[in-house]
């Protein structure tokens, strides 16, 4: 069982998805959502809906993208000076609608929101759990963080 079924993909996107595309989409959304089905007991119905939406759009994106998973996100390339500027990898890996749905998750929004309880093994290190400070690909910054200007 994943965040969405093949019927959900059809209902949300109007397109069908193969079992392989749905499995890949579910895996990608699990990574970017930072939650798994096994630890979903405390996730609200609202957040489960956003995870379903994200997975459905991701499944459509994966299926429509030949070579998915073998691409590199590059923003700028120079030739003789050999300069490459890499873009945010999530922009390459996530479908635009999936990325938008993930931004609606309660733990990806306002940092004053409560984060759903997650079973964390005793003694496991949890760093930057309530912020995206540890995520180099996140655009979110604390109002106190001046950024890299």
């Amino acid at each position: 069982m994943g965040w969405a079924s093949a019927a959900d993909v059809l209902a949300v996107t109007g397109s069908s998805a193969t079992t392989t595309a749905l499995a890949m989409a579910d895996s990608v959304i699990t990574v970017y959502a930072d939650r798994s089905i096994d630890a979903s007991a405390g996730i609200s119905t609202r957040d489960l809906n956003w995870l379903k939406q994200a997975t459905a759009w991701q499944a459509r994106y994966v299926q429509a993208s030949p070579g998915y998973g073998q691409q590199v996100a590059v923003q700028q390339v120079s030739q003789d000076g050999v300069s490459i500027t890499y873009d945010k990898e999530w922009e390459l890996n996530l479908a635009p609608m999936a990325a938008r749905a993930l931004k609606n998750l309660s733990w990806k929004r306002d940092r004053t929101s409560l984060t759903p309880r997650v079973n964390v093994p005793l003694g496991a290190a949890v760093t930057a759990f309530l912020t995206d400070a540890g995520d180099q690909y996140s655009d979110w910054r604390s109002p106190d963080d001046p950024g890299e200007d």
Side-chain angles (χ1 to χ4, degrees):
M1 182 181 142
W3 297 117
S5 67
D8 292 330
V9 175
L10 183 60
V12 170
T13 69
S15 298
S16 60
T18 64
T19 305
T20 302
L22 189 55
M24 288 176 68
D26 183 67
S27 178
V28 169
I29 296 303
T30 296
V31 168
Y32 281 98
D34 195 23
R35 297 292 186 273
S36 70
I37 290 289
D38 297 335
S40 66
I43 298 178
S44 71
T45 304
R46 178 188 173 282
D47 284 334
L48 288 172
N49 178 59
W50 287 122
L51 289 165
K52 176 177 72 173
Q53 297 278 328
T55 303
W57 286 108
Q58 187 67 24
R60 181 178 180 197
Y61 181 74
V62 165
Q63 192 160 301
S65 302
Y68 177 81
Q70 300 173 1
Q71 305 164 8
V72 178
V74 177
Q75 187 179 61
Q76 176 182 334
V77 177
S78 296
Q79 190 169 355
D80 295 332
V82 187
S83 173
I84 298 174
T85 304
Y86 290 99
D87 210 352
K88 296 175 182 140
E89 53 94 15
W90 68 264
E91 290 178 339
L92 177 71
N93 294 326
L94 285 176
M97 289 298 291
R100 182 63 190 101
L102 287 173
K103 287 180 182 181
N104 291 337
L105 294 170
S106 63
W107 59 90
K108 296 283 187 178
R109 295 179 79 191
D110 184 355
R111 295 302 175 241
T112 60
S113 298
L114 293 176
T115 303
R117 295 181 72 72
V118 177
N119 294 332
V120 178
L122 198 57
V126 179
T127 57
F129 186 71
L130 293 177
T131 70
D132 282 337
D135 182 2
Q136 63 183 350
Y137 302 109
S138 174
D139 289 330
W140 184 86
R141 293 287 177 257
S142 165
D144 302 327
D145 183 7
E148 299 178 19
D149 295 332

